[in-house]
Amino acid sequence: MLTISERGIAMPASPIRKLVPFAEAAKKKGTKVYHLNIGQPDIETPAEIMDAVKHTDMKVLEYSHSAGNESYRRKLVEYYKRVGIEVTHEQIMITAGGSEAILFGFFSCLNPGDEVIIPEPFYANYNGFACTAGVNVVPITSYIETGFALPPIDAFEKVITPKTKAIVVCNPNNPTGYLYSREEMEALKNICLKHNLYLFSDEAYREFCYDGEYISAMQLEGLEQNVVLMDTISKRYSACGARIGALVTKNKAVYDTAMKFAQARLSPPGLAQILGEAAVDLPESYFDAPKAEYLHRRDTLIKRLNAMPGVFCPTPGGAFYAIARLPIDDADKFCQWLLESFSHNNQTVMLAPATGFYGTPGLGKNEVRLAYVLNVDAINAAMDCLEEALEQYPGIVK
Amino acid sequence: MLTISERGIAMPASPIRKLVPFAEAAKKKGTKVYHLNIGQPDIETPAEIMDAVKHTDMKVLEYSHSAGNESYRRKLVEYYKRVGIEVTHEQIMITAGGSEAILFGFFSCLNPGDEVIIPEPFYANYNGFACTAGVNVVPITSYIETGFALPPIDAFEKVITPKTKAIVVCNPNNPTGYLYSREEMEALKNICLKHNLYLFSDEAYREFCYDGEYISAMQLEGLEQNVVLMDTISKRYSACGARIGALVTKNKAVYDTAMKFAQARLSPPGLAQILGEAAVDLPESYFDAPKAEYLHRRDTLIKRLNAMPGVFCPTPGGAFYAIARLPIDDADKFCQWLLESFSHNNQTVMLAPATGFYGTPGLGKNEVRLAYVLNVDAINAAMDCLEEALEQYPGIVK
């Protein structure tokens, strides 16, 4: 018999997308569904960068350099300089979204059976990339009570084995919105240096920090050889569909190895590189409006959530996600129930059960992730639904 | 010490691109270099499909469905029907180039340590994808004397072990241009059924068949569950930089597994999906001009090559590649010498040493691959260079 691969069987289905059929059924019944379940912003992609693609006079849509167009990489040097990261264009590799940057990083640095430590809850697709690379994710738990701060160093020390090769962090964090402090980044640096670990740093949400100072892993002095930055324009410019990201590292051996994976797939998306390059020329003031908008949404969302009986949601310092604890028996059941059995004024809300963001089984059962990617009116309407739902849901835990 | 992964070390560097620094140096000296080394056509990308992107009124460049836009997949059903392949849109998954389709196929069907049989010479990047997936390539040799026909079935039988899980074919073939006959496709079918093997079929060059009938692996009756088609628009519409391909299979378990890898990376390139969808609406007559042009180039190239003393090049039936045997000691040395130490009227030619396309060490040492992606004048000028070079090269073997 033809068989599916072991890694294919082990590969997790997307926890964010598994409720999609229930959402589709709800919509077919005529119910309006507010999507707070997925990080797809409603902010318009800047017209200037779409126009750059529309005005291209390219006659042949050729392969680009496997590392991406040199002109784009040189522009990105300027971009990174503006955000306090000093790199050369030969330390930047353009990838098909942040996803490919993560894969190239894992493929280049990790062997099957190696372990990577990731503070949980974490971006669920790290599981998929780890599975693809045959790598084992070792979660260490961060807690809602502390706003999902970095677990203390001894939590890292406890799980480090000879197979531990890397720590993965997302800063500001998806799904918690937590923004790591300078002290936490220094603590990460020390543990990486002490145990000789790579630090994979996913900084997709760098521009969206509302409280406190943003520290890039690339700014940690003495850790230059350990850091692999995984970046993407998806959220920055509301251009998720472009599929343009970057792997950035000062470690030449890692870069050269990643280049071999990049060469095998020939080149990153060509049209979208034009868009990405134009984005670097947006004025710095471009971020003022979306950042103010996200801040307004965050404040609305957090206030509404914490006003509901039995609900607790710490205030996220960055990104556009929050994890809330709800007075419910089971977030998976609840999120499905919201779509299948509930409506309020013919509307409902789609949330992501937090269970999919934890590596430790059983955690996150009474937590959900909310992406504040909709405008304030929609957020308020969605919160009206949630408030009403928590009155009606049969699995309420008082 | 921080270490690079074993797979990263094993990962082959691109044999096509390793001569690039020598080409750059030649250009800096003012020498014109004719690039017959890489399958980057000079044919213009159809203006209609570039215009489709330029005229999009999309306000937010959102993630698409992980399998690609449904509208595009439904269009592709029509496209495949026109080329004699009956599939549904739920059997088509849009990928970032053919490369990602190959990776998803390997990841979904093969375990580390599994073996795939590939007739050599073969597309060099199959090595890279196999290495990424931890899979071992077992080459079986096809020979220039027979125009690189499929090796006889007993050559397959000889190398089949319990670890053999698949055969990979490229039809029409890159790098040989060979077009598999109905009998050869039936032979492949029989061996796949007998030994329970997947047939990964790379049909990137389907539209460019000059002699004989094109048979898709998807047309082999009884082999439906075994076939994974790996496709791309790169060459078809001279849109290599778009990075749009497809994995097509009637095997639901394979499709569903590949979907998990697709979901982890969220979606294929969005702007280029618009271009791909528009391409399906090109009139069928679109291919007449590029096909006639490639045929003219092929005939020019093959005639010129076979007129040179000691050179032999079988006539390829499809694609836009040919492998020629030259009277030289070492193709790698010769190709480097062409760039480093030779010029003719201040011009030279860049070729791909065939060694990079063989899995068996030592084979292809007196062969080169030529991509006839330049116009006839350029091909003639390149052949003038090659003819002169074979007069001057110190490593000539008479």
Side-chain angles (χ1 to χ4, degrees):
Chain A
M1 216 188 69
L2 291 164
T3 50
I4 293 301
S5 70
E6 285 160 28
R7 108 188 93 203
I9 292 164
M11 189 75 184
S14 164
I16 305 176
R17 296 188 178 217
K18 71 186 173 188
L19 290 169
V20 169
F22 298 103
E24 284 170 358
K27 287 176 199 173
K28 271 196 186 137
K29 284 194 303 184
T31 307
K32 169 147 184 77
V33 178
Y34 291 103
H35 283 274
L36 300 186
N37 60 301
I38 189 165
Q40 171 57 62
D42 66 348
I43 305 269
E44 286 193 7
T45 312
E48 301 93 308
I49 72 173
M50 288 293 274
D51 284 349
V53 180
K54 292 180 182 183
H55 295 149
T56 179
D57 58 0
M58 197 189 274
K59 295 289 176 219
V60 184
L61 183 48
E62 295 188 356
Y63 291 121
S64 73
H65 191 292
S66 294
N69 293 324
E70 189 176 321
S71 58
Y72 180 27
R73 286 181 286 132
R74 286 188 182 274
K75 282 250 174 218
L76 279 177
V77 171
E78 295 170 28
Y79 163 76
Y80 282 115
K81 200 179 170 81
R82 287 206 296 269
V83 298
I85 297 172
E86 298 282 344
V87 284
T88 71
H89 76 280
E90 287 170 321
Q91 294 166 336
I92 300 170
M93 185 179 305
I94 309 303
T95 54
S99 308
E100 193 177 60
I102 299 170
L103 274 175
F104 285 174
F106 282 11
F107 286 149
S108 300
C109 301
L110 307 172
N111 288 320
D114 280 352
E115 294 169 1
V116 294
I117 299 174
I118 317 186
E120 66 182 354
F122 56 78
Y123 177 54
N125 285 324
Y126 294 153
N127 276 323
F129 302 131
C131 183
T132 304
V135 168
N136 299 321
V137 172
V138 177
I140 55 172
T141 308
S142 64
Y143 295 94
I144 196 166
E145 290 78 6
T146 60
F148 299 106
L150 192 72
I153 287 305
D154 67 353
F156 286 89
E157 295 277 7
K158 258 186 220 156
V159 297
I160 287 175
T161 76
K163 297 214 151 197
T164 309
K165 294 288 163 58
I167 296 171
V168 179
V169 286
C170 178
N171 184 35
N173 192 272
N174 173 9
T176 67
Y178 189 79
L179 178 64
Y180 292 108
S181 68
R182 181 173 290 277
E183 291 67 34
E184 286 170 316
M185 294 305 289
E186 289 290 329
L188 280 170
K189 171 178 123 176
N190 291 335
I191 195 144
C192 286
L193 288 177
K194 178 174 172 195
H195 293 279
N196 220 356
L197 308 177
Y198 286 107
L199 180 60
F200 293 113
S201 185
D202 178 345
E203 304 183 5
Y205 301 91
R206 163 183 313 125
E207 273 73 14
F208 306 120
C209 297
Y210 316 111
D211 312 311
E213 185 192 10
Y214 157 74
I215 312 286
S216 170
M218 295 292 287
Q219 292 163 337
L220 296 172
E221 247 174 84
L223 201 66
E224 291 79 6
Q225 292 304 302
N226 304 57
V227 174
V228 181
L229 172 64
M230 304 172 316
D231 214 339
T232 169
I233 68 164
S234 291
K235 317 293 174 165
R236 190 164 298 146
Y237 308 109
S238 203
C240 298
R243 311 315 298 131
I244 289 292
L247 178 150
V248 186
T249 184
K250 296 186 181 189
N251 184 315
K252 192 170 183 312
V254 172
Y255 189 94
D256 290 348
T257 304
M259 253 318 266
K260 295 196 280 181
F261 293 96
Q263 285 183 340
R265 64 73 163 121
L266 305 169
S267 65
L271 291 167
Q273 284 188 72
I274 302 170
L275 181 141
E277 187 167 334
V280 183
D281 285 332
L282 288 169
E284 280 195 67
S285 60
Y286 162 73
F287 292 108
D288 295 349
K291 193 174 157 184
E293 173 64 22
Y294 285 130
L295 182 59
H296 185 198
R297 293 174 183 188
R298 179 196 73 166
D299 290 344
T300 306
L301 181 84
I302 303 304
K303 195 173 164 195
R304 288 293 308 267
L305 285 167
N306 285 318
M308 295 178 205
V311 175
F312 170 61
C313 187
T315 302
F320 40 65
Y321 304 99
I323 287 196
R325 186 170 60 202
L326 306 181
I328 53 170
D329 57 343
D330 183 308
D332 289 85
K333 277 190 208 163
F334 177 66
C335 292
Q336 185 174 332
W337 177 88
L338 279 171
L339 297 167
E340 223 181 2
S341 311
F342 171 82
S343 76
H344 171 63
N345 296 337
N346 217 21
Q347 301 183 333
T348 192
V349 58
M350 186 165 178
L351 305 171
T355 45
F357 302 103
Y358 284 90
T360 305
L363 291 187
K365 277 193 78 168
N366 60 349
E367 296 173 6
V368 293
R369 187 194 71 170
L370 307 97
Y372 42 99
V373 291
L374 303 183
N375 64 48
V376 165
D377 287 346
I379 286 177
N380 271 316
M383 289 303 100
D384 292 344
C385 291
L386 180 61
E387 196 161 27
E388 181 62 29
L390 291 173
E391 298 281 333
Q392 293 182 22
Y393 180 58
I396 288 290
V397 176
K398 300 267 177 183
Chain B
M1 215 188 68
L2 291 164
T3 50
I4 292 302
S5 70
E6 285 160 27
R7 107 189 93 203
I9 292 164
M11 190 75 184
S14 165
I16 304 175
R17 296 189 179 217
K18 71 186 171 187
L19 291 169
V20 168
F22 298 102
E24 284 169 359
K27 286 175 199 173
K28 273 198 185 134
K29 282 194 302 184
T31 306
K32 167 147 185 77
V33 178
Y34 291 103
H35 283 275
L36 300 186
N37 60 302
I38 189 164
Q40 171 56 62
D42 65 348
I43 306 269
E44 285 193 8
T45 311
E48 301 93 309
I49 72 173
M50 288 293 275
D51 283 349
V53 180
K54 292 180 182 182
H55 296 148
T56 181
D57 58 359
M58 196 189 273
K59 295 288 176 222
V60 184
L61 183 49
E62 295 189 354
Y63 290 122
S64 73
H65 191 292
S66 295
N69 293 325
E70 188 175 321
S71 58
Y72 180 28
R73 286 181 288 131
R74 286 188 182 275
K75 282 255 174 212
L76 279 177
V77 171
E78 296 170 29
Y79 163 76
Y80 282 115
K81 200 179 170 81
R82 286 206 296 269
V83 298
I85 297 172
E86 298 282 343
V87 284
T88 71
H89 76 280
E90 288 170 321
Q91 295 166 335
I92 299 170
M93 183 179 303
I94 310 303
T95 54
S99 308
E100 193 177 59
I102 299 169
L103 274 175
F104 284 175
F106 283 10
F107 286 149
S108 299
C109 301
L110 308 172
N111 288 321
D114 280 352
E115 294 170 1
V116 295
I117 300 174
I118 317 185
E120 66 182 354
F122 56 79
Y123 177 55
N125 285 324
Y126 294 152
N127 276 325
F129 302 130
C131 183
T132 305
V135 168
N136 299 320
V137 171
V138 177
I140 55 173
T141 309
S142 65
Y143 294 93
I144 197 165
E145 290 79 6
T146 61
F148 298 106
L150 192 71
I153 289 304
D154 66 355
F156 287 88
E157 295 277 6
K158 257 185 223 160
V159 297
I160 287 176
T161 75
K163 299 214 151 195
T164 310
K165 294 287 163 57
I167 296 171
V168 179
V169 286
C170 178
N171 183 37
N173 192 273
N174 172 10
T176 67
Y178 189 79
L179 177 64
Y180 291 109
S181 69
R182 180 172 291 277
E183 292 66 35
E184 287 170 316
M185 293 304 288
E186 288 291 329
L188 280 170
K189 172 178 121 177
N190 292 334
I191 197 146
C192 286
L193 288 176
K194 180 175 171 194
H195 294 279
N196 221 357
L197 308 177
Y198 286 107
L199 180 59
F200 293 112
S201 185
D202 178 344
E203 304 183 4
Y205 300 91
R206 157 179 323 120
E207 273 73 13
F208 306 121
C209 298
Y210 316 110
D211 312 310
E213 186 192 10
Y214 158 74
I215 313 285
S216 169
M218 295 292 287
Q219 293 163 338
L220 297 171
E221 248 175 81
L223 201 65
E224 290 79 5
Q225 292 304 303
N226 305 57
V227 173
V228 181
L229 173 64
M230 303 172 317
D231 214 341
T232 171
I233 68 164
S234 291
K235 317 293 173 162
R236 190 165 297 145
Y237 307 110
S238 205
C240 298
R243 310 318 296 134
I244 289 291
L247 177 150
V248 186
T249 183
K250 296 186 180 189
N251 184 316
K252 194 170 182 312
V254 172
Y255 188 94
D256 290 348
T257 305
M259 253 318 266
K260 295 196 279 181
F261 293 96
Q263 285 184 341
R265 64 72 164 120
L266 303 169
S267 65
L271 292 167
Q273 284 188 72
I274 301 170
L275 180 141
E277 187 167 335
V280 183
D281 285 331
L282 288 169
E284 281 195 65
S285 59
Y286 162 72
F287 292 108
D288 296 349
K291 193 173 157 184
E293 173 64 22
Y294 284 131
L295 182 59
H296 185 198
R297 293 174 182 188
R298 179 196 74 166
D299 291 345
T300 305
L301 180 83
I302 302 303
K303 197 173 162 195
R304 288 293 308 266
L305 285 167
N306 285 318
M308 296 178 204
V311 175
F312 170 60
C313 186
T315 302
F320 40 65
Y321 304 100
I323 287 196
R325 187 171 59 202
L326 306 181
I328 54 172
D329 56 344
D330 183 308
D332 289 84
K333 277 191 209 161
F334 177 65
C335 292
Q336 185 174 331
W337 177 88
L338 279 170
L339 297 166
E340 223 181 2
S341 311
F342 171 82
S343 76
H344 170 63
N345 296 335
N346 217 20
Q347 302 184 333
T348 191
V349 58
M350 187 166 178
L351 305 171
T355 45
F357 302 103
Y358 284 90
T360 305
L363 292 186
K365 277 195 78 169
N366 60 350
E367 296 173 7
V368 293
R369 187 193 72 170
L370 306 98
Y372 42 99
V373 291
L374 303 183
N375 65 46
V376 166
D377 287 346
I379 286 177
N380 271 316
M383 289 303 100
D384 291 345
C385 290
L386 180 62
E387 197 162 26
E388 181 61 30
L390 290 174
E391 297 282 333
Q392 293 183 22
Y393 179 58
I396 287 291
V397 176
K398 300 268 176 180

